[in-house]
Amino acid sequence: ALFRARPGAANDHESTPVDARTSATFRRDSFVAIGIVEGAAVTGYLGFDRGDDDRGWTDSDVALMTVVGDIISSVLQRTRTERALAELNRNLEREVEDRSFALREAEQAGSFGCFQFDLASQAVRWTDALCRMYGRDPETFTPDFEAFIGHVHPDDRDAVTSTTTEAIASGGRYGHTKR
């Protein structure tokens, strides 16, 4: 059983049992336990024991131990958070790889390529299949709108540029038929 001194008592020989989740600190003669708190729950205790030395713990001692307990709590929480984030990252990487594989398979089966245009950064990305369709090396080619429009028939470039500009401005869909 865990014990807690009566409120305000530094060294209480008449302690009473308490639930570990409701008591963050308890003192008894030469022993002090500081709760390791994560969120609203006490998940463990950091104990300090003077053994046979029956000197009591001062409020300053307990305050210092509480700071140590808070630091340990923060480190434990950060470690758990980092582990959870690492697991989420591994899951996301697997999901990206699965989807990338599915896209590559679909491109190959359907004889098409894909591109992505980021409106905020104006960055353009082409899949490897699209690069190969246009005779570009995916490892060295840096796609941009000019590279794309260069593959459009000269008589269609103004219309494609206009349609593209309108789609970007309105957030609408875009498409053209290549000749």
Side-chain angles (χ1 to χ4, degrees):
L2 297 174
F3 295 91
R4 177 179 64 192
R6 287 191 313 260
N11 294 292
D12 185 12
H13 296 283
E14 299 175 20
S15 300
T16 55
V18 297
D19 179 355
R21 295 228 174 259
T22 61
S23 176
T25 302
F26 61 94
R27 297 190 260 184
R28 185 156 184 192
D29 295 330
S30 65
F31 179 75
V32 174
I34 304 297
I36 304 298
V37 180
E38 295 183 55
V42 177
T43 60
Y45 285 90
L46 176 62
F48 298 89
D49 194 338
R50 287 193 168 145
D52 292 335
D53 186 345
D54 61 358
R55 287 181 296 151
W57 297 94
T58 67
D59 289 340
S60 295
D61 293 335
V62 173
L64 177 61
M65 293 173 208
T66 301
V67 169
V68 172
D70 290 345
I71 291 169
I72 291 171
S73 294
S74 295
V75 169
L76 289 172
Q77 184 61 44
R78 180 179 176 136
T79 300
R80 285 187 179 106
T81 300
E82 287 173 348
R83 286 179 183 159
L85 288 173
E87 179 64 23
L88 287 172
N89 191 49
R90 283 189 296 275
N91 291 340
L92 287 172
E93 286 173 351
R94 281 191 295 269
E95 181 70 21
V96 166
E97 182 56 35
D98 290 348
R99 289 180 185 224
S100 295
F101 176 78
L103 176 60
R104 287 189 302 272
E105 292 294 308
E107 285 179 325
Q108 184 177 9
S111 299
F112 67 89
C114 297
F115 71 93
Q116 178 182 353
F117 178 60
D118 184 310
L119 294 175
S121 68
Q122 300 291 298
V124 179
R125 293 179 55 194
W126 286 13
T127 61
D128 290 355
L130 188 61
C131 288
R132 286 189 293 276
M133 284 175 55
Y134 286 112
R136 304 295 183 132
D137 179 357
E139 298 296 320
T140 60
F141 176 63
T142 302
D144 56 22
F145 185 77
E146 286 72 32
F148 160 72
I149 204 72
H151 291 283
V152 173
H153 191 278
D155 294 340
D156 296 336
R157 288 181 184 163
D158 288 341
V160 168
T161 300
S162 176
T163 303
T164 303
T165 302
E166 288 172 22
I168 290 170
S170 69
R173 293 181 178 258
Y174 163 78
H176 79 275
T177 302
K178 186 176 175 188
R179 60 166 139 166

